[in-house]
Amino acid sequence: MEDVQNYSPAVPLNIDRAGIRELKLPLLVRDRSDGTQRTVALVDLGVDLPSAFKGAHMSRFVEALNAWDDEINYQSVRRLLENIKNRLGAQRAYARFCFPYFIRKTAPASCSKSSVPYECRLTGELDENGQSFLLEMDVPVMTVCPCSRAISRDSAHSQRAIVRMNVRMAGFSWLEEFIEMAEESGSSAVYTLLKREDEKFVTEHAFAHPAFVEDVVRNVAQRLFAHEHVEWFSVEVESMESIHSHNAFARIERSVNRAAAGQQHGESP
């Protein structure tokens, strides 16, 4: 049959990335407590397309993904990317998995258990220079405003904030490690199920640990600097302000120099 994709295009320009987006796929993810957990991912796949070709063979992305069916990790994603490169004759291949990851959390006072979802994204790219691996996640926390806490006699405004982390790593790390970093950096973690005694505990704990978004982003960055596998990170904290009509945010991005990180956490060399 006629292969139109291999025709010469009317406009002969190289395309950086062409492919498919938001293909839904069952996914197996490593779980620190239970070994693995099953979730559902939206998957983007792409390749570079030279100027000599009119289009990419989109069905071959789906074939590669159907043949993969693996637990997601550095080695398995590399196998998928190599398969995509070979099937499409590409120099560069790209895969991105967006999925909810669930942690079963225990309420601090009643010990009630419930699952909390965290939005995660994992991106792999493979070219002649090797493979890159980027982990992204959104972690909700609670913050209490230190200014409001200082000037108010009996109260202060509080709100939910989102810690958004992007991390490049040199080795395997549990998703839970980074989630815990974020939750320990705010005024309090958030929960799905809280009884009255839990609400009392969480509120009192949060008011005893007020934090600006600037405090939270610095706290997370300090922990990422200290992590043995982190090579580069960006972290942004956005506060959904409860008494303002706008949000507040703060962001830090750094490459981690292991020799310098032991001496100084504030700035990269």
Side-chain angles (χ1 to χ4, degrees):
M1 295 180 69
E2 193 173 13
D3 191 349
V4 178
Q5 283 93 334
N6 285 336
Y7 286 2
S8 297
V11 180
L13 288 176
N14 293 333
I15 295 177
D16 298 322
R17 187 179 294 161
I20 63 174
R21 182 166 285 166
E22 295 196 356
L23 190 155
K24 192 170 289 188
L25 177 81
L27 190 67
L28 192 64
V29 185
R30 290 188 182 183
D31 184 310
R32 190 173 64 183
S33 298
D34 300 320
T36 57
Q37 72 169 255
R38 293 194 176 277
T39 184
V40 176
L42 292 177
V43 185
D44 302 344
L45 302 173
V47 293
D48 65 312
L49 187 67
S51 60
F53 296 96
K54 186 176 184 66
H57 293 80
M58 299 298 180
S59 63
R60 296 180 186 178
F61 291 109
V62 181
E63 290 172 341
L65 200 57
N66 286 341
W68 180 63
D69 190 25
D70 207 344
E71 174 188 291
I72 191 168
N73 57 49
Y74 185 93
Q75 292 78 15
S76 70
V77 173
R78 184 181 184 93
R79 288 193 294 271
L80 173 63
L81 294 171
E82 287 174 341
N83 191 6
I84 290 171
K85 281 183 63 179
N86 292 335
R87 284 177 183 267
L88 285 101
Q91 297 298 311
R92 298 191 306 275
Y94 159 91
R96 177 179 171 88
F97 301 83
C98 305
F99 57 94
Y101 185 77
F102 295 87
I103 294 180
R104 194 154 180 82
K105 294 182 65 175
T106 302
S110 70
C111 295
S112 302
K113 294 183 180 295
S114 61
S115 294
V116 179
Y118 302 88
E119 292 301 320
C120 299
R121 297 165 296 281
L122 194 147
T123 302
E125 295 190 59
L126 182 65
D127 59 21
E128 66 276 6
N129 297 317
Q131 181 179 348
S132 66
F133 210 58
L134 178 68
L135 174 65
E136 306 168 74
M137 63 182 63
D138 300 342
V139 182
V141 299
M142 176 184 176
T143 59
V144 172
C145 176
C147 180
S148 177
R149 184 79 175 91
I151 62 177
S152 301
R153 181 168 49 184
D154 298 317
S155 62
H157 75 84
S158 61
Q159 52 275 315
R160 186 182 303 172
I162 301 295
V163 180
R164 299 185 178 98
M165 284 185 284
N166 303 337
V167 182
R168 294 194 189 279
M169 297 172 291
F172 172 77
S173 300
W174 296 106
L175 294 174
E176 289 88 343
E177 294 179 41
F178 300 105
I179 291 169
E180 288 166 0
M181 287 183 193
E183 293 181 336
E184 291 167 359
S185 297
S187 299
S188 173
V190 300
Y191 301 82
T192 299
L193 175 62
L194 292 174
K195 307 298 285 184
R196 280 193 294 268
E197 59 267 38
D198 299 310
E199 291 189 5
K200 179 178 184 297
F201 182 97
V202 168
T203 302
E204 290 176 349
H205 177 83
F207 274 63
H209 300 85
F212 291 126
V213 290
E214 295 92 338
D215 296 317
V216 181
V217 78
R218 286 170 173 147
N219 291 341
V220 177
Q222 183 181 47
R223 288 171 166 84
L224 289 170
F225 267 117
H227 194 285
E228 62 178 338
H229 291 154
V230 173
E231 296 183 323
W232 171 92
F233 68 85
S234 71
V235 56
E236 179 176 295
V237 181
E238 183 175 1
S239 174
M240 289 61 181
E241 295 289 291
S242 60
I243 65 170
H244 302 292
S245 61
H246 56 267
N247 292 351
F249 82 97
R251 187 175 188 274
I252 293 175
E253 178 180 339
R254 294 288 187 275
S255 294
V256 180
N257 182 315
R258 282 287 149 221
Q263 304 171 5
Q264 178 174 312
H265 290 319
E267 298 289 339
S268 58

